[in-house]
Each structure stands twice: as structure tokens, then as C-alpha cells.
Amino acid sequence: MCLVVLYCLLWSFHASAGYFPRACVSSRNLMEKECCPPWSGDGSPCGHLSGRGSCQDILLSNAPLGPQYPFRGVDDRESWPSVFYNRTCQCSDNFMGFDCRNCRFGFWGPNCTERRLLVRRNIFDLSVPEKDKFLAYLTLAKHTISPDYVIPTGTYGQMNNGSRPMFSDINIYDLFVWMHYYVSRDTLLGGSEIWSNIDFAHEAPGFLPWHRLFLLLWEKEIQRLTGDENFTIPYWDWRDADDCDICTDEYMGGHHPENPNLLSPGSFFSSWQIICSRMEEYNSHQALCNGTPEGPLLRNPGNHDKTRTPRLPSSADVEFCLSLTHYESDSMDKAANFSFRNTLEGFASPLTGIADDSQSSMHNALHIFMNGTMSQVQGSANDPIFLLHHAFVDSIFEQWLRRYRPLQEVYPEANAPIGHNRESYMVPFIPLYRNGDFFISSRELGYDYSYLQDSDPDSFQDYIKSYLEQASQIWQWLLGAAVLGAVLTAVLGGLTSLLCRGRRKQLPEEKQPLLMEKEDYHSLLSQSHL
């Protein structure tokens, strides 16, 4: 009952999410290939009168791609987003968004100058009201049409090169489902021909940065939708699990008593309809998913192909992944050996790091284990467990980043599969984000994980970071004060020396101890570190 009351209270809020801005889908926008809407604050494109941003040409990377995709000019996602737009808003300072209305990740306030660090927590650590609020937020997103974004229901060619726009409304939750479908769908080659060996978010280096951005955008949309600026996605720690312990009516939904493939009638999600799950139908009609409901959410955890996925990942599997020092290797796809990314994604063994087509482990294992909607790549985001699962995968990525502190150059600049090079823009996001932009610590993006905070040796460094940033803004004054202090000290020292010269006596040579006491050593060491 409390969930219903909370849901009704939230219904008065409205928000938006991503990735064909409604303001940019007219025939004029598409034919002029420009997406630079006015910011409502001053009415100028990209808020340029207020210094928020400006309309600029898109600069595409010309780095060579891997050989996995042999075509050019047949897929709308190639050289994203140039098929649709070649001019978009370039935001300044800490502003972000298709019209520069929002703040960059990790920044808040009317001028986007305030830094905040939010913490993602284990779903089992949430109080009952917190957990119920999360479930209500999910349903609110499922029932709120995005006022700012729409999805294309046809390719650019089917739109007659933009002169006949084909777009449809969609709710906020399903918008993100559609995005995950669109980024991983097959290439339509005409007639009955398709090319399936393509994916702009999986099986290559961009897997972890893409899903990191996906979760951040979803999180931000829920914050705007509900007005809850402290909302974060909870995670499910599935290490060493024997079964799906979140698959109960109290959490993400239990078994239906008569059909084990359906959710229990008492589940919050039993009435949900899924979208973008009929890949063969879309391919045969050379059509895109248009967001039409396609049936109930399916899930039957544990009743999967155990020869392919004999168990859920263990703590030892995670530790082995973290021991791999190379982010990417070899062909930079699902055949890569000793690749942290490929092992965590689940195409390489978490025992050896060797690619293995016959097994699905780590991240992939959870999808296969759910044995339903989650097990199909394109439609997997229909199941809200997707969010909890990928939040934990992202936390493992974060552990690796903190352990090895890689430079951005570690992320491949060239020869990765299409869409996965460091400077490639991620499909299908507008505004634009590059893969390499999210190959950084989560704390730089404004969030952390509760279980990583206590064991983090850099927590003190983060604590004083804000003070160091303030000091950097007034360093000229600090330097001037130091110089003035040095001059005054020298003058006073000289006067003292003159006054005392006549009375000075010869003192015995000062002796220094060869060894310091333990307490003195630690004191000195801590001062040195500081």
C-alpha cells in the first residue's frame, strides 16, 4: 500500500531522457543536419548569450577501425552522429546537455560550480522505505512519456534522407531500453540481408565506458523526474551467490506459481510490458523497433543452459579479473586473451584469461542465468535487474581503475571494432560523449560505491581535495604572503644577529640522534605524505 501512495505522490513530477531530442527531429533540422536548440534560460542556441555553449561542427575521429565490420555508408550509426547531424551544441565549463541546460556529471547548482559525490549502495543495505522508493521510481519512469526525447521508427533512408521524419513518443524507462537495443542491433543491408557481427557497446573496449555513461544518464533522469537529487542506482553484489536472492516479491519479483517463466502476480513488475525483443521480425522487415509493447517480462533464474554457464561468478573470479593488468589486447574483440575488459565481460575464462566461445562467465553469466528477457542482448535492459547488475560490473571496473591508475592513452586509440576507438562518439547519445571520456575514476564523475569507500587508501586525499582546489584558486595570494613572510623573517633575523653578536658565546657542537623514535618517525612520515 505504501508503494501505491508513494507512486501517486511522485506522479506529479515530469522529466526527460535521451537521445533524439524532440527539438531536433523536424525535416528542417534533419536536412540541415543541425541540432542546436535554444536554451530556455535566454532563448539563444545552446545558451551562447549566457556563455553556456555554442553551436559547432562535429569533429569526427579518423583513426582506423578494426576489420570486423567490412562495410561503409550502410548503417546510420557509422561515424555517429553524422548521418543525422554534423552540428551540435558544444557546452562550456561544467555545462552539459543537448542545449547545455544541465550540469556535467559530478557538478550541481544553478551555475554548475558545486561538486558533489553520491554513493551507490548495496540494494540489501537500503531501508524498507528506501527500497520501496526505488521500486516506485522505476514504475514512475515506466509510465512517464519523455517530453524532450523521441525514438526513430525508421532509418535515415526510410525517412527520405530527413525530408519525411519518422519518430515516436516513448516513456523514460523504455527510452533507455530502446537505446540498448539500438546500439547492439544488426545492420540492415536491404532485402532480407543483415550483418550481425556488429555492436557499438559490447564485445570490444567500449563495453565498460558505454555502460558507465548509460547508468549515469539513467540515474540523472530519475533525479530530474522525481526531484530527488540524492538518488543513486543500487547494486547487486552477486559474488558467490547460489541463486537469485533479489528475485523475490519484496525486491525484483519472484516466480509465478503457475508459470515459472513469468513473474509473481505480487511482484511490482508483473504487469510490465517489454519492447524491442523481436530481432528476427525487425530484420526480416528491415525495420527498427518502434517501442510497441511485445508481451510480459520473462525470467526463470537458474533454469538455463548449465553447460554454458555452470555457476554464478565467485569472489575468486573477480580477483582474477582484477589481476589482469592489460585493459585490452589482441584483436580487441571477444577473442581477446588476457584482457581485463574481455574477461569481465565474460568472453574469456576467469580462471585463465583465455577467450572461450563455449562458455559465458562473469557479466555474461548473469544474463544467461536469468533465462528470459535478460538473456537477449538487445532487449536485456527491459528487466530492471539489468541496472543492479551493471552497477556492480561498473564497480569492478572502478576497482581496476583505482588499482592501476591508467592514463587515458591505455584505452585504444585506433584499430578497435567500429565505434570503440578512444575518440569515437558513443551511439546513440546526443549530446555527444567519447569512449575515452569515461575511462576515468567514478569519483571524477561524481559517484562512488559504498563497499569501495572503507578500503580506499585515497579517502584522505579525496577529503582534502576540495581544500586543495580552493587553494589553487588563491595561489597568487598565498605565494605573495610566503614571499612577504620570508622578507620579514630575513630582516628580523639580521637585526637579531647584530644585537646578539657581541654577546655570542661558543656552544658545543649539536648532536643529532642516528635513529629516530618510532613515534617521531611516523610523525615525520605522515607530514611527508601530507
PDB file of all heavy atoms in Angstrom, residues 18-48:
ATOM      1  N   GLY A  18      17.247  10.614 -22.950  1.00  0.00           N
ATOM      2  CA  GLY A  18      17.981  10.737 -24.121  1.00  0.00           C
ATOM      3  C   GLY A  18      17.795  10.241 -25.464  1.00  0.00           C
ATOM      4  O   GLY A  18      17.824   9.972 -25.729  1.00  0.00           O
ATOM      5  N   TYR A  19      17.478  10.223 -26.782  1.00  0.00           N
ATOM      6  CA  TYR A  19      18.717  10.558 -27.415  1.00  0.00           C
ATOM      7  C   TYR A  19      18.540  10.966 -28.841  1.00  0.00           C
ATOM      8  O   TYR A  19      19.478  11.113 -29.505  1.00  0.00           O
ATOM      9  CB  TYR A  19      19.751   9.549 -27.063  1.00  0.00           C
ATOM     10  CG  TYR A  19      19.997   9.803 -25.583  1.00  0.00           C
ATOM     11  CD1 TYR A  19      19.295   9.152 -24.618  1.00  0.00           C
ATOM     12  CD2 TYR A  19      20.836  10.841 -25.237  1.00  0.00           C
ATOM     13  CE1 TYR A  19      19.475   9.496 -23.304  1.00  0.00           C
ATOM     14  CE2 TYR A  19      21.015  11.168 -23.916  1.00  0.00           C
ATOM     15  CZ  TYR A  19      20.331  10.477 -22.974  1.00  0.00           C
ATOM     16  OH  TYR A  19      20.486  10.804 -21.691  1.00  0.00           O
ATOM     17  N   PHE A  20      17.283  11.253 -29.141  1.00  0.00           N
ATOM     18  CA  PHE A  20      16.991  12.111 -30.295  1.00  0.00           C
ATOM     19  C   PHE A  20      16.147  13.258 -29.735  1.00  0.00           C
ATOM     20  O   PHE A  20      14.959  13.087 -29.488  1.00  0.00           O
ATOM     21  CB  PHE A  20      16.236  11.355 -31.383  1.00  0.00           C
ATOM     22  CG  PHE A  20      17.136  10.593 -32.312  1.00  0.00           C
ATOM     23  CD1 PHE A  20      17.608   9.347 -31.960  1.00  0.00           C
ATOM     24  CD2 PHE A  20      17.518  11.134 -33.530  1.00  0.00           C
ATOM     25  CE1 PHE A  20      18.440   8.637 -32.797  1.00  0.00           C
ATOM     26  CE2 PHE A  20      18.360  10.425 -34.387  1.00  0.00           C
ATOM     27  CZ  PHE A  20      18.818   9.178 -34.015  1.00  0.00           C
ATOM     28  N   PRO A  21      16.750  14.403 -29.489  1.00  0.00           N
ATOM     29  CA  PRO A  21      15.991  15.500 -28.883  1.00  0.00           C
ATOM     30  C   PRO A  21      14.774  15.863 -29.736  1.00  0.00           C
ATOM     31  O   PRO A  21      14.884  16.013 -30.947  1.00  0.00           O
ATOM     32  CB  PRO A  21      16.995  16.656 -28.837  1.00  0.00           C
ATOM     33  CG  PRO A  21      18.329  15.987 -28.857  1.00  0.00           C
ATOM     34  CD  PRO A  21      18.159  14.771 -29.697  1.00  0.00           C
ATOM     35  N   ARG A  22      13.640  15.998 -29.101  1.00  0.00           N
ATOM     36  CA  ARG A  22      12.410  16.349 -29.805  1.00  0.00           C
ATOM     37  C   ARG A  22      12.575  17.650 -30.582  1.00  0.00           C
ATOM     38  O   ARG A  22      11.993  17.835 -31.661  1.00  0.00           O
ATOM     39  CB  ARG A  22      11.274  16.482 -28.782  1.00  0.00           C
ATOM     40  CG  ARG A  22       9.882  16.584 -29.373  1.00  0.00           C
ATOM     41  CD  ARG A  22       8.854  16.782 -28.275  1.00  0.00           C
ATOM     42  NE  ARG A  22       8.779  15.637 -27.385  1.00  0.00           N
ATOM     43  CZ  ARG A  22       7.987  14.585 -27.571  1.00  0.00           C
ATOM     44  NH1 ARG A  22       7.215  14.537 -28.648  1.00  0.00           N
ATOM     45  NH2 ARG A  22       7.959  13.592 -26.703  1.00  0.00           N
ATOM     46  N   ALA A  23      13.413  18.539 -30.044  1.00  0.00           N
ATOM     47  CA  ALA A  23      13.623  19.835 -30.690  1.00  0.00           C
ATOM     48  C   ALA A  23      14.465  19.739 -31.957  1.00  0.00           C
ATOM     49  O   ALA A  23      14.624  20.733 -32.661  1.00  0.00           O
ATOM     50  CB  ALA A  23      14.307  20.791 -29.705  1.00  0.00           C
ATOM     51  N   CYS A  24      14.977  18.538 -32.258  1.00  0.00           N
ATOM     52  CA  CYS A  24      15.893  18.403 -33.405  1.00  0.00           C
ATOM     53  C   CYS A  24      15.425  17.391 -34.442  1.00  0.00           C
ATOM     54  O   CYS A  24      16.242  16.888 -35.227  1.00  0.00           O
ATOM     55  CB  CYS A  24      17.283  17.999 -32.917  1.00  0.00           C
ATOM     56  SG  CYS A  24      18.102  19.211 -31.861  1.00  0.00           S
ATOM     57  N   VAL A  25      14.134  17.058 -34.472  1.00  0.00           N
ATOM     58  CA  VAL A  25      13.694  15.998 -35.383  1.00  0.00           C
ATOM     59  C   VAL A  25      12.732  16.500 -36.463  1.00  0.00           C
ATOM     60  O   VAL A  25      12.053  15.701 -37.103  1.00  0.00           O
ATOM     61  CB  VAL A  25      13.053  14.828 -34.601  1.00  0.00           C
ATOM     62  CG1 VAL A  25      14.078  14.170 -33.699  1.00  0.00           C
ATOM     63  CG2 VAL A  25      11.833  15.293 -33.794  1.00  0.00           C
ATOM     64  N   SER A  26      12.697  17.791 -36.677  1.00  0.00           N
ATOM     65  CA  SER A  26      11.902  18.301 -37.793  1.00  0.00           C
ATOM     66  C   SER A  26      12.651  18.024 -39.095  1.00  0.00           C
ATOM     67  O   SER A  26      13.866  17.766 -39.095  1.00  0.00           O
ATOM     68  CB  SER A  26      11.674  19.807 -37.647  1.00  0.00           C
ATOM     69  OG  SER A  26      12.893  20.516 -37.821  1.00  0.00           O
ATOM     70  N   SER A  27      11.941  18.097 -40.225  1.00  0.00           N
ATOM     71  CA  SER A  27      12.600  17.885 -41.515  1.00  0.00           C
ATOM     72  C   SER A  27      13.684  18.930 -41.746  1.00  0.00           C
ATOM     73  O   SER A  27      14.741  18.645 -42.331  1.00  0.00           O
ATOM     74  CB  SER A  27      11.569  17.923 -42.651  1.00  0.00           C
ATOM     75  OG  SER A  27      10.877  19.167 -42.659  1.00  0.00           O
ATOM     76  N   ARG A  28      13.458  20.145 -41.238  1.00  0.00           N
ATOM     77  CA  ARG A  28      14.469  21.190 -41.404  1.00  0.00           C
ATOM     78  C   ARG A  28      15.745  20.837 -40.652  1.00  0.00           C
ATOM     79  O   ARG A  28      16.853  20.951 -41.190  1.00  0.00           O
ATOM     80  CB  ARG A  28      13.918  22.520 -40.908  1.00  0.00           C
ATOM     81  CG  ARG A  28      14.930  23.664 -40.995  1.00  0.00           C
ATOM     82  CD  ARG A  28      14.334  24.966 -40.494  1.00  0.00           C
ATOM     83  NE  ARG A  28      15.323  26.039 -40.507  1.00  0.00           N
ATOM     84  CZ  ARG A  28      15.080  27.281 -40.113  1.00  0.00           C
ATOM     85  NH1 ARG A  28      13.861  27.603 -39.670  1.00  0.00           N
ATOM     86  NH2 ARG A  28      16.039  28.181 -40.151  1.00  0.00           N
ATOM     87  N   ASN A  29      15.598  20.398 -39.399  1.00  0.00           N
ATOM     88  CA  ASN A  29      16.773  20.006 -38.622  1.00  0.00           C
ATOM     89  C   ASN A  29      17.528  18.868 -39.298  1.00  0.00           C
ATOM     90  O   ASN A  29      18.761  18.882 -39.387  1.00  0.00           O
ATOM     91  CB  ASN A  29      16.360  19.562 -37.219  1.00  0.00           C
ATOM     92  CG  ASN A  29      15.949  20.705 -36.329  1.00  0.00           C
ATOM     93  OD1 ASN A  29      14.818  20.753 -35.844  1.00  0.00           O
ATOM     94  ND2 ASN A  29      16.849  21.644 -36.082  1.00  0.00           N
ATOM     95  N   LEU A  30      16.788  17.865 -39.757  1.00  0.00           N
ATOM     96  CA  LEU A  30      17.432  16.687 -40.332  1.00  0.00           C
ATOM     97  C   LEU A  30      18.097  17.001 -41.664  1.00  0.00           C
ATOM     98  O   LEU A  30      19.185  16.485 -41.960  1.00  0.00           O
ATOM     99  CB  LEU A  30      16.407  15.570 -40.498  1.00  0.00           C
ATOM    100  CG  LEU A  30      15.840  14.996 -39.183  1.00  0.00           C
ATOM    101  CD1 LEU A  30      14.682  14.061 -39.469  1.00  0.00           C
ATOM    102  CD2 LEU A  30      16.923  14.271 -38.399  1.00  0.00           C
ATOM    103  N   MET A  31      17.475  17.837 -42.469  1.00  0.00           N
ATOM    104  CA  MET A  31      18.060  18.145 -43.776  1.00  0.00           C
ATOM    105  C   MET A  31      19.212  19.132 -43.651  1.00  0.00           C
ATOM    106  O   MET A  31      20.180  19.076 -44.415  1.00  0.00           O
ATOM    107  CB  MET A  31      16.972  18.672 -44.713  1.00  0.00           C
ATOM    108  CG  MET A  31      15.904  17.618 -45.015  1.00  0.00           C
ATOM    109  SD  MET A  31      14.646  18.169 -46.175  1.00  0.00           S
ATOM    110  CE  MET A  31      15.585  18.152 -47.710  1.00  0.00           C
ATOM    111  N   GLU A  32      19.137  20.033 -42.669  1.00  0.00           N
ATOM    112  CA  GLU A  32      20.260  20.940 -42.418  1.00  0.00           C
ATOM    113  C   GLU A  32      21.332  20.292 -41.545  1.00  0.00           C
ATOM    114  O   GLU A  32      22.410  20.851 -41.367  1.00  0.00           O
ATOM    115  CB  GLU A  32      19.760  22.219 -41.759  1.00  0.00           C
ATOM    116  CG  GLU A  32      18.885  23.070 -42.666  1.00  0.00           C
ATOM    117  CD  GLU A  32      18.425  24.355 -41.992  1.00  0.00           C
ATOM    118  OE1 GLU A  32      18.716  24.519 -40.769  1.00  0.00           O
ATOM    119  OE2 GLU A  32      17.792  25.181 -42.657  1.00  0.00           O
ATOM    120  N   LYS A  33      20.984  19.117 -40.969  1.00  0.00           N
ATOM    121  CA  LYS A  33      21.900  18.345 -40.122  1.00  0.00           C
ATOM    122  C   LYS A  33      22.418  19.167 -38.948  1.00  0.00           C
ATOM    123  O   LYS A  33      23.622  19.179 -38.646  1.00  0.00           O
ATOM    124  CB  LYS A  33      23.069  17.798 -40.948  1.00  0.00           C
ATOM    125  CG  LYS A  33      22.680  16.704 -41.933  1.00  0.00           C
ATOM    126  CD  LYS A  33      23.901  16.182 -42.671  1.00  0.00           C
ATOM    127  CE  LYS A  33      23.546  15.001 -43.554  1.00  0.00           C
ATOM    128  NZ  LYS A  33      23.232  13.790 -42.786  1.00  0.00           N
ATOM    129  N   GLU A  34      21.501  19.851 -38.281  1.00  0.00           N
ATOM    130  CA  GLU A  34      21.891  20.681 -37.145  1.00  0.00           C
ATOM    131  C   GLU A  34      20.983  20.417 -35.956  1.00  0.00           C
ATOM    132  O   GLU A  34      19.758  20.397 -36.080  1.00  0.00           O
ATOM    133  CB  GLU A  34      21.831  22.168 -37.513  1.00  0.00           C
ATOM    134  CG  GLU A  34      22.294  23.084 -36.374  1.00  0.00           C
ATOM    135  CD  GLU A  34      22.392  24.539 -36.804  1.00  0.00           C
ATOM    136  OE1 GLU A  34      23.325  24.842 -37.576  1.00  0.00           O
ATOM    137  OE2 GLU A  34      21.529  25.342 -36.396  1.00  0.00           O
ATOM    138  N   CYS A  35      21.606  20.214 -34.797  1.00  0.00           N
ATOM    139  CA  CYS A  35      20.861  20.044 -33.541  1.00  0.00           C
ATOM    140  C   CYS A  35      21.452  20.989 -32.509  1.00  0.00           C
ATOM    141  O   CYS A  35      22.313  20.616 -31.709  1.00  0.00           O
ATOM    142  CB  CYS A  35      20.935  18.592 -33.054  1.00  0.00           C
ATOM    143  SG  CYS A  35      19.997  18.297 -31.516  1.00  0.00           S
ATOM    144  N   CYS A  36      21.001  22.244 -32.533  1.00  0.00           N
ATOM    145  CA  CYS A  36      21.468  23.286 -31.608  1.00  0.00           C
ATOM    146  C   CYS A  36      20.252  24.041 -31.075  1.00  0.00           C
ATOM    147  O   CYS A  36      20.033  25.217 -31.412  1.00  0.00           O
ATOM    148  CB  CYS A  36      22.435  24.241 -32.299  1.00  0.00           C
ATOM    149  SG  CYS A  36      23.982  23.482 -32.836  1.00  0.00           S
ATOM    150  N   PRO A  37      19.437  23.393 -30.242  1.00  0.00           N
ATOM    151  CA  PRO A  37      18.215  24.042 -29.751  1.00  0.00           C
ATOM    152  C   PRO A  37      18.523  25.218 -28.832  1.00  0.00           C
ATOM    153  O   PRO A  37      19.601  25.286 -28.225  1.00  0.00           O
ATOM    154  CB  PRO A  37      17.508  22.926 -28.974  1.00  0.00           C
ATOM    155  CG  PRO A  37      18.211  21.661 -29.342  1.00  0.00           C
ATOM    156  CD  PRO A  37      19.602  22.046 -29.700  1.00  0.00           C
ATOM    157  N   PRO A  38      17.586  26.148 -28.703  1.00  0.00           N
ATOM    158  CA  PRO A  38      17.786  27.265 -27.770  1.00  0.00           C
ATOM    159  C   PRO A  38      17.647  26.801 -26.329  1.00  0.00           C
ATOM    160  O   PRO A  38      16.828  25.936 -26.011  1.00  0.00           O
ATOM    161  CB  PRO A  38      16.666  28.239 -28.142  1.00  0.00           C
ATOM    162  CG  PRO A  38      15.608  27.386 -28.767  1.00  0.00           C
ATOM    163  CD  PRO A  38      16.332  26.280 -29.471  1.00  0.00           C
ATOM    164  N   TRP A  39      18.475  27.371 -25.478  1.00  0.00           N
ATOM    165  CA  TRP A  39      18.335  27.136 -24.044  1.00  0.00           C
ATOM    166  C   TRP A  39      17.225  28.037 -23.527  1.00  0.00           C
ATOM    167  O   TRP A  39      17.186  29.239 -23.821  1.00  0.00           O
ATOM    168  CB  TRP A  39      19.652  27.435 -23.328  1.00  0.00           C
ATOM    169  CG  TRP A  39      19.551  27.366 -21.840  1.00  0.00           C
ATOM    170  CD1 TRP A  39      19.059  26.331 -21.094  1.00  0.00           C
ATOM    171  CD2 TRP A  39      19.932  28.378 -20.897  1.00  0.00           C
ATOM    172  NE1 TRP A  39      19.120  26.623 -19.753  1.00  0.00           N
ATOM    173  CE2 TRP A  39      19.647  27.870 -19.594  1.00  0.00           C
ATOM    174  CE3 TRP A  39      20.492  29.643 -21.022  1.00  0.00           C
ATOM    175  CZ2 TRP A  39      19.908  28.604 -18.438  1.00  0.00           C
ATOM    176  CZ3 TRP A  39      20.757  30.373 -19.862  1.00  0.00           C
ATOM    177  CH2 TRP A  39      20.463  29.855 -18.589  1.00  0.00           C
ATOM    178  N   SER A  40      16.323  27.468 -22.750  1.00  0.00           N
ATOM    179  CA  SER A  40      15.150  28.222 -22.291  1.00  0.00           C
ATOM    180  C   SER A  40      15.524  29.397 -21.401  1.00  0.00           C
ATOM    181  O   SER A  40      14.747  30.343 -21.255  1.00  0.00           O
ATOM    182  CB  SER A  40      14.193  27.287 -21.538  1.00  0.00           C
ATOM    183  OG  SER A  40      14.830  26.701 -20.411  1.00  0.00           O
ATOM    184  N   GLY A  41      16.719  29.362 -20.822  1.00  0.00           N
ATOM    185  CA  GLY A  41      17.109  30.439 -19.920  1.00  0.00           C
ATOM    186  C   GLY A  41      17.304  31.777 -20.597  1.00  0.00           C
ATOM    187  O   GLY A  41      17.031  32.823 -20.002  1.00  0.00           O
ATOM    188  N   ASP A  42      17.809  31.778 -21.856  1.00  0.00           N
ATOM    189  CA  ASP A  42      17.990  33.057 -22.544  1.00  0.00           C
ATOM    190  C   ASP A  42      17.494  33.038 -23.984  1.00  0.00           C
ATOM    191  O   ASP A  42      17.575  34.049 -24.684  1.00  0.00           O
ATOM    192  CB  ASP A  42      19.466  33.487 -22.501  1.00  0.00           C
ATOM    193  CG  ASP A  42      20.393  32.522 -23.239  1.00  0.00           C
ATOM    194  OD1 ASP A  42      19.902  31.651 -23.977  1.00  0.00           O
ATOM    195  OD2 ASP A  42      21.620  32.637 -23.055  1.00  0.00           O
ATOM    196  N   GLY A  43      16.980  31.883 -24.431  1.00  0.00           N
ATOM    197  CA  GLY A  43      16.406  31.793 -25.766  1.00  0.00           C
ATOM    198  C   GLY A  43      17.414  31.699 -26.894  1.00  0.00           C
ATOM    199  O   GLY A  43      17.027  31.664 -28.065  1.00  0.00           O
ATOM    200  N   SER A  44      18.697  31.615 -26.577  1.00  0.00           N
ATOM    201  CA  SER A  44      19.713  31.541 -27.631  1.00  0.00           C
ATOM    202  C   SER A  44      20.159  30.097 -27.834  1.00  0.00           C
ATOM    203  O   SER A  44      20.136  29.290 -26.890  1.00  0.00           O
ATOM    204  CB  SER A  44      20.923  32.403 -27.262  1.00  0.00           C
ATOM    205  OG  SER A  44      21.587  31.879 -26.123  1.00  0.00           O
ATOM    206  N   PRO A  45      20.559  29.738 -29.069  1.00  0.00           N
ATOM    207  CA  PRO A  45      21.032  28.371 -29.322  1.00  0.00           C
ATOM    208  C   PRO A  45      22.166  27.997 -28.379  1.00  0.00           C
ATOM    209  O   PRO A  45      23.146  28.734 -28.242  1.00  0.00           O
ATOM    210  CB  PRO A  45      21.507  28.437 -30.781  1.00  0.00           C
ATOM    211  CG  PRO A  45      20.723  29.548 -31.388  1.00  0.00           C
ATOM    212  CD  PRO A  45      20.557  30.556 -30.291  1.00  0.00           C
ATOM    213  N   CYS A  46      21.969  26.864 -27.694  1.00  0.00           N
ATOM    214  CA  CYS A  46      22.988  26.327 -26.773  1.00  0.00           C
ATOM    215  C   CYS A  46      23.278  27.270 -25.606  1.00  0.00           C
ATOM    216  O   CYS A  46      24.277  27.100 -24.890  1.00  0.00           O
ATOM    217  CB  CYS A  46      24.291  26.014 -27.503  1.00  0.00           C
ATOM    218  SG  CYS A  46      24.110  25.066 -29.030  1.00  0.00           S
ATOM    219  N   GLY A  47      22.422  28.294 -25.410  1.00  0.00           N
ATOM    220  CA  GLY A  47      22.638  29.250 -24.330  1.00  0.00           C
ATOM    221  C   GLY A  47      23.890  30.079 -24.502  1.00  0.00           C
ATOM    222  O   GLY A  47      24.517  30.496 -23.525  1.00  0.00           O
ATOM    223  N   HIS A  48      24.239  30.399 -25.777  1.00  0.00           N
ATOM    224  CA  HIS A  48      25.509  31.090 -26.012  1.00  0.00           C
ATOM    225  C   HIS A  48      25.514  32.505 -25.456  1.00  0.00           C
ATOM    226  O   HIS A  48      26.578  33.033 -25.095  1.00  0.00           O
ATOM    227  CB  HIS A  48      25.840  31.099 -27.506  1.00  0.00           C
ATOM    228  CG  HIS A  48      25.022  32.048 -28.326  1.00  0.00           C
ATOM    229  ND1 HIS A  48      25.391  33.354 -28.514  1.00  0.00           N
ATOM    230  CD2 HIS A  48      23.847  31.869 -28.998  1.00  0.00           C
ATOM    231  CE1 HIS A  48      24.484  33.952 -29.282  1.00  0.00           C
ATOM    232  NE2 HIS A  48      23.544  33.083 -29.583  1.00  0.00           N
TER     233      HIS A  48
END
